[in-house]
Amino acid sequence: MTPSKDLSAIQQSLLSRQISVINLVDQYLKRIAESDSLNIYVEVYAEEVREKARLLDQKIQHNPSSLGKLFGAVFSIKDVICQKGHGTTAASKMLEGFVSTYSSTAVQKILDEDALIIGRTNCDEFAMGSTNENSIYGPTKNGLDTTRVPGGSSGAAAVSVQQETCLIALGSDTGGSVRQPAAYCGVLGFKPTYGRISRYGLIAYASSFDQIGIIGHQVRDIGKVLQVIEGYDPMDATSSKTSPTREWTSDETTSFSVAYLKEVMEHNGLDAEIKKNLNDVIHRMRSYGSKVSEESFSLLDYLVPTYYVLTTAEASSNLSRYDGLRYGYSHKEARDIHDKIVKTRTEGFGMEVKRRIMMGTFVLSVGYFDAYFLKAQKVRQMIVDQIDKLFEQYDFLLLPTASGKPPLLGESMSDPVKMYLSDIFTVLANLGGYPAISIPVHPHAKGLSTSYQLIAKSNDESRLLHFAGQLTNMA
């Protein structure tokens, strides 16, 4: 028996005593054991989550009116999101053995609403990667085809939901790191507007891009979680004060206007089957009354270069704090402080992290700052201006999430440029700070998943999730 994929159904079963929370948790723990070969979790909180389940069962029995909004929701959290008293290593030797002294705002908010956290999931080191292979813990495998990657950097978070080892996963999305693995794994992946969810307690990669995202099976469950964890946080100066996400009922239908991009549909890297499925989605939207039109976007080829210039620059700054002098890994046999820092960073960081630090340091260096970093900032603004003009006419943009099927394990490691280019359709939402959701559609050959994504204007999560809910109900 596997747990329901719907939080409302789980909560009804718990309240009617058809199942207990401890039984529910044990089912998830059994699924974790059965999927151990996929290398999803770096740590499972088995005894802790079972003890909290027992306490929640007592609460259901004796004081059900005091239950939080997320009771019965079992979460996994990516190994870049802090939870007090638990390890948080960013899948890096640099933070090996580090135990967080506080919880991230998002984690604390779900715990306050009676959610249960079952463990922390593997990821690309410091969230740098698109395949979940750049990890001190080794690669995570895709449960749909174990010879292929699950995507990254939140690849294991996506597999944790795919394999039903939890109901919801919290990941992080810097350039598509929630949506792309969700697409490869056949589940929903949602990234909010930049600033809607606090980044306090999220280990930083690129601060003007990073956002905590949500992976799940049901749009309405993603909406429930978003309503809990969104909102201004005085601990995060980049969090914003915005209207709360509205909850839509399933019988509310609305017609929207949607634009798809000519340059995307004609891109030579777009898989033929994904293009066919995207055309099917366009047809389905039109048949249900939405206006869907083709528009041009002349800056498509500038998305990935702009993204990588800016994110590596921010990464080189953010990761300068890991020097072996304060916390985390520290080389023990150094001649002096300079030697200690060099040896600590040389041994503590993996190859991909070093590559991005070097790239970022280069584009920020004297003589190259104007040519690369400053120019990339200007192009970022041009991209935002073009997309904002489209949002004056349309409610949503429709794009594929990934350009092709998931690569084979090891295939991307020898060609980092190819890996970077795989983000071409997801980085747009992060460059502009827009909310976006990846929705699975028809299966690809060999049972693999294909997905599309909807991008909305900033702080339009309510309508985005409403439309996504309509589309999943139509499927």
Side-chain angles (χ1 to χ4, degrees):
M1 180 180 178
T2 56
S4 171
K5 298 180 181 181
D6 185 298
L7 179 56
S8 294
I10 290 172
Q11 292 180 335
Q12 289 171 11
S13 296
L14 291 171
L15 291 172
S16 62
R17 312 288 176 84
Q18 296 175 35
I19 188 174
S20 66
V21 183
I22 190 68
N23 291 151
L24 178 69
V25 164
D26 283 343
Q27 288 177 30
Y28 285 123
L29 289 171
K30 181 181 178 184
R31 294 288 298 170
I32 289 174
E34 292 171 346
S35 57
D36 182 63
S37 63
L38 300 177
N39 195 27
I40 303 170
Y41 289 86
V42 301
E43 187 177 3
V44 179
Y45 311 142
E47 290 307 311
E48 177 184 326
V49 75
R50 293 185 90 250
E51 178 58 31
K52 290 187 175 181
R54 291 189 192 97
L55 295 174
L56 195 52
D57 276 329
Q58 293 176 15
K59 198 172 185 180
I60 290 171
Q61 182 177 356
H62 300 296
N63 192 14
S65 62
S66 67
L67 289 167
K69 296 175 184 177
L70 298 178
F71 80 93
V74 175
F75 282 71
S76 71
I77 61 171
K78 183 178 177 180
D79 190 31
V80 293
I81 302 172
C82 293
Q83 183 179 1
K84 185 176 181 179
H86 296 76
T88 312
T89 69
S92 177
K93 182 178 180 178
M94 187 60 81
L95 284 172
E96 198 171 27
F98 175 77
V99 176
S100 180
T101 58
Y102 67 98
S103 288
S104 73
T105 299
V107 163
Q108 192 58 56
K109 283 183 174 183
I110 65 170
L111 291 174
D112 291 344
E113 293 294 340
D114 286 331
L116 299 168
I117 297 175
I118 205 164
R120 56 191 171 103
T121 54
N122 197 8
C123 59
D124 285 302
E125 184 182 6
F126 282 99
M128 297 183 191
S130 303
T131 64
N132 214 133
E133 294 175 284
N134 302 314
S135 167
I136 192 176
Y137 304 108
T140 296
K141 299 175 184 176
N142 192 328
L144 295 176
D145 180 347
T146 57
T147 68
R148 296 184 181 274
V149 304
S153 61
S154 307
V159 181
S160 74
V161 175
Q162 176 202 64
Q163 295 298 301
E164 299 177 48
T165 66
C166 62
L167 181 69
I168 299 285
L170 293 186
S172 64
D173 192 310
T174 305
S177 293
V178 161
R179 288 162 290 142
Q180 182 246 40
Y184 284 169
C185 293
V187 292
L188 292 162
F190 169 75
K191 182 202 88 73
T193 301
Y194 181 79
R196 181 170 282 272
I197 297 175
S198 171
R199 292 186 300 110
Y200 181 69
L202 171 66
I203 293 177
Y205 163 18
S207 300
S208 73
F209 292 79
D210 298 339
Q211 274 291 271
I212 289 176
I214 306 164
I215 299 172
H217 295 289
Q218 306 288 340
V219 174
R220 58 179 170 270
D221 288 350
I222 288 175
K224 287 177 183 177
V225 175
L226 177 62
Q227 288 176 321
V228 168
I229 65 177
E230 69 184 356
Y232 173 72
D233 179 10
M235 301 299 290
D236 176 11
T238 63
S239 65
S240 56
K241 296 178 180 178
T242 55
S243 300
T245 302
R246 177 190 167 190
E247 187 170 343
W248 298 79
T249 59
S250 58
D251 58 350
E252 289 183 76
T253 57
T254 311
S255 295
F256 293 105
S257 56
V258 182
Y260 64 93
L261 304 178
K262 176 176 180 286
E263 291 80 3
V264 169
M265 299 300 284
E266 296 176 353
H267 194 272
N268 57 15
L270 182 62
D271 178 273
E273 196 165 348
I274 291 177
K275 182 176 180 179
K276 176 184 177 300
N277 289 342
L278 203 61
N279 280 317
D280 290 344
V281 170
I282 291 170
H283 177 75
R284 181 160 25 113
M285 287 179 176
R286 285 172 174 160
S287 69
Y288 281 90
S290 290
K291 173 193 171 187
V292 187
S293 304
E294 180 182 86
E295 291 289 344
S296 184
F297 178 63
S298 62
L299 298 175
L300 181 68
D301 290 338
Y302 295 92
L303 294 178
V304 171
T306 302
Y307 169 80
Y308 276 100
V309 167
L310 296 177
T311 56
T312 56
E314 293 184 20
S316 71
S317 175
N318 277 326
L319 271 63
S320 64
R321 70 193 70 178
Y322 302 106
D323 53 15
L325 304 178
R326 285 164 284 195
Y327 56 86
Y329 176 73
S330 179
H331 184 81
K332 302 302 181 187
E333 300 176 2
R335 298 186 306 274
D336 50 38
I337 288 179
H338 179 268
D339 188 47
K340 186 181 186 70
I341 293 171
V342 170
K343 287 179 177 176
T344 293
R345 289 170 67 82
T346 299
E347 296 168 8
F349 290 133
M351 185 58 67
E352 183 59 32
V353 174
K354 291 176 188 174
R355 181 183 290 119
R356 298 194 191 196
I357 290 173
M358 292 295 289
M359 288 169 59
T361 304
F362 173 76
V363 302
L364 289 175
S365 61
V366 174
Y368 296 99
F369 181 86
D370 290 350
Y372 290 98
F373 183 77
L374 189 59
K375 188 173 290 185
Q377 290 283 35
K378 291 178 179 178
V379 175
R380 184 182 194 178
Q381 188 59 56
M382 291 170 62
I383 290 166
V384 170
D385 290 343
Q386 277 203 21
I387 296 301
D388 283 348
K389 283 185 179 179
L390 288 176
F391 281 137
E392 291 175 4
Q393 305 173 57
Y394 297 94
D395 298 306
F396 307 111
L397 297 181
L398 170 68
L399 285 84
T401 310
S403 59
K405 57 183 179 291
L408 294 168
L409 286 162
E411 185 179 347
S412 302
M413 301 302 285
S414 60
D415 189 352
V417 174
K418 183 178 179 182
M419 180 179 69
Y420 299 160
L421 291 173
S422 70
D423 296 331
I424 186 168
F425 300 134
T426 53
V427 297
L428 173 60
N430 302 83
L431 283 162
Y434 306 114
I437 186 168
S438 176
I439 302 172
V441 67
H442 307 293
H444 198 283
K446 297 183 179 180
L448 296 170
S449 171
T450 66
S451 297
Y452 62 95
Q453 61 175 328
L454 291 171
I455 302 176
K457 63 188 73 173
S458 294
N459 295 311
D460 203 10
E461 277 84 351
S462 295
R463 292 201 308 163
L464 175 64
L465 292 175
H466 175 48
F467 191 38
Q470 281 186 209
L471 292 169
T472 55
N473 289 335
M474 294 172 189

